[in-house]
Coordinates of all heavy atoms in Angstrom, one line a residue:
S61 N 4.4 1.4 -6.2 CA 5.5 1.5 -5.3 C 5.1 1.9 -4.0 O 5.9 2.0 -2.9 CB 6.6 2.5 -5.8 OG 6.0 3.7 -6.0
Y62 N 3.9 2.4 -3.7 CA 3.3 2.9 -2.5 C 2.1 2.1 -2.1 O 1.5 1.7 -2.9 CB 3.0 4.3 -2.5 CG 4.1 5.4 -2.6 CD1 5.4 5.1 -2.7 CD2 3.6 6.8 -2.6 CE1 6.4 6.1 -2.7 CE2 4.7 7.7 -2.6 CZ 6.0 7.3 -2.7 OH 6.9 8.3 -2.7
S68 N 7.8 6.0 0.2 CA 8.1 4.9 -0.5 C 8.6 3.7 0.2 O 9.2 3.8 1.2 CB 9.4 5.4 -1.6 OG 9.6 4.3 -2.4
E91 N 6.9 9.5 -16.6 CA 6.6 9.4 -15.1 C 5.9 10.6 -14.6 O 6.3 11.8 -15.1 CB 7.9 9.2 -14.4 CG 8.4 7.8 -14.3 CD 7.8 7.0 -13.1 OE1 6.8 7.4 -12.6 OE2 8.6 6.0 -12.8
D92 N 5.1 10.4 -13.6 CA 4.5 11.6 -13.0 C 5.5 12.4 -12.2 O 5.7 13.5 -12.3 CB 3.3 11.2 -12.2 CG 3.5 10.2 -11.2 OD1 4.6 9.6 -11.2 OD2 2.6 9.8 -10.5
I93 N 6.2 11.7 -11.3 CA 7.1 12.2 -10.4 C 8.3 11.4 -9.9 O 8.1 10.2 -9.8 CB 6.3 12.7 -9.1 CG1 7.3 13.5 -8.1 CG2 5.6 11.6 -8.4 CD1 6.5 14.3 -7.1
V94 N 9.4 11.9 -9.9 CA 10.5 11.2 -9.3 C 10.8 11.8 -7.9 O 11.1 12.9 -7.8 CB 11.9 11.4 -10.2 CG1 13.0 10.7 -9.6 CG2 11.6 10.8 -11.6
D95 N 10.6 10.8 -7.0 CA 10.7 11.2 -5.5 C 11.9 10.6 -5.0 O 13.0 11.2 -5.1 CB 9.3 10.7 -4.9 CG 9.2 11.2 -3.4 OD1 9.9 12.0 -3.1 OD2 8.2 10.6 -2.8
S96 N 11.9 9.4 -4.5 CA 13.1 8.8 -4.0 C 13.9 8.4 -5.1 O 15.1 8.2 -5.0 CB 12.7 7.6 -3.1 OG 12.2 6.5 -4.0
G97 N 13.3 8.1 -6.4 CA 14.0 7.8 -7.5 C 14.0 6.2 -7.6 O 14.4 5.6 -8.7
L98 N 13.5 5.4 -6.6 CA 13.6 4.0 -6.6 C 12.8 3.4 -7.8 O 13.2 2.5 -8.4 CB 13.1 3.4 -5.2 CG 13.9 3.8 -4.0 CD1 13.2 3.4 -2.7 CD2 15.3 3.0 -4.0
T99 N 11.6 4.0 -8.0 CA 10.7 3.4 -9.0 C 11.3 3.6 -10.4 O 11.3 2.6 -11.2 CB 9.3 4.1 -9.0 OG1 8.8 4.1 -7.6 CG2 8.3 3.5 -9.9
K123 N 11.4 15.8 -7.0 CA 11.5 16.2 -5.7 C 13.0 15.9 -5.2 O 13.1 14.8 -4.6 CB 10.5 15.4 -4.8 CG 9.3 16.2 -4.3 CD 8.6 15.5 -3.3 CE 7.2 14.9 -3.8 NZ 6.6 14.1 -2.7
A143 N 7.1 18.2 -0.8 CA 5.7 18.3 -0.2 C 5.0 17.2 -0.9 O 5.4 16.8 -2.1 CB 5.1 19.6 -0.5
F144 N 3.9 16.7 -0.4 CA 3.1 15.8 -1.1 C 2.0 16.4 -1.9 O 1.3 17.1 -1.5 CB 2.4 14.7 0.0 CG 2.0 13.5 -0.7 CD1 3.0 12.4 -0.9 CD2 0.7 13.2 -1.2 CE1 2.5 11.3 -1.6 CE2 0.4 12.1 -1.8 CZ 1.3 11.1 -2.0
V145 N 2.0 16.0 -3.2 CA 1.2 16.8 -4.2 C 0.2 15.9 -4.8 O 0.5 14.6 -5.0 CB 2.0 17.5 -5.3 CG1 2.9 18.6 -4.7 CG2 3.0 16.6 -6.0
L150 N -1.8 12.6 -10.1 CA -1.3 12.1 -8.9 C -2.3 12.0 -7.8 O -3.3 12.8 -7.7 CB -0.2 13.1 -8.3 CG 1.1 13.0 -9.3 CD1 1.1 14.0 -10.4 CD2 2.3 13.2 -8.3
D151 N -2.2 11.0 -7.0 CA -3.2 10.7 -6.0 C -2.7 10.7 -4.5 O -1.5 10.7 -4.3 CB -3.6 9.2 -6.2 CG -2.6 8.2 -5.7 OD1 -1.4 8.2 -6.1 OD2 -3.0 7.3 -4.9
Ligands
LIG201 P1 9.8 7.1 -5.9 O1 10.0 5.7 -6.2 O2 10.0 7.4 -4.5 O3 10.5 8.0 -6.8 O4 8.2 7.3 -6.2 C1 7.7 7.4 -7.3 C2 6.1 7.2 -7.4 O5 5.6 7.5 -5.9 C3 5.5 8.2 -8.3 O6 5.4 7.6 -9.5 C4 4.2 8.4 -7.6 O7 3.3 7.5 -8.1 C5 4.5 8.4 -6.1 N1 4.6 9.6 -5.5 C6 5.8 10.2 -5.1 N2 5.7 11.4 -4.5 C7 4.4 11.7 -4.7 C8 3.5 12.9 -4.4 O8 4.0 13.9 -3.9 N3 2.2 12.7 -4.6 C9 1.7 11.6 -5.3 N4 2.3 10.6 -5.6 C10 3.7 10.6 -5.3

Side-chain angles (χ1 to χ4, degrees):
S61 57
Y62 284 5
S68 182
E91 274 272 22
D92 51 356
I93 183 165
V94 176
D95 185 10
S96 69
L98 293 169
T99 307
K123 257 192 247 178
F144 198 82
V145 295
L150 287 91
D151 75 307

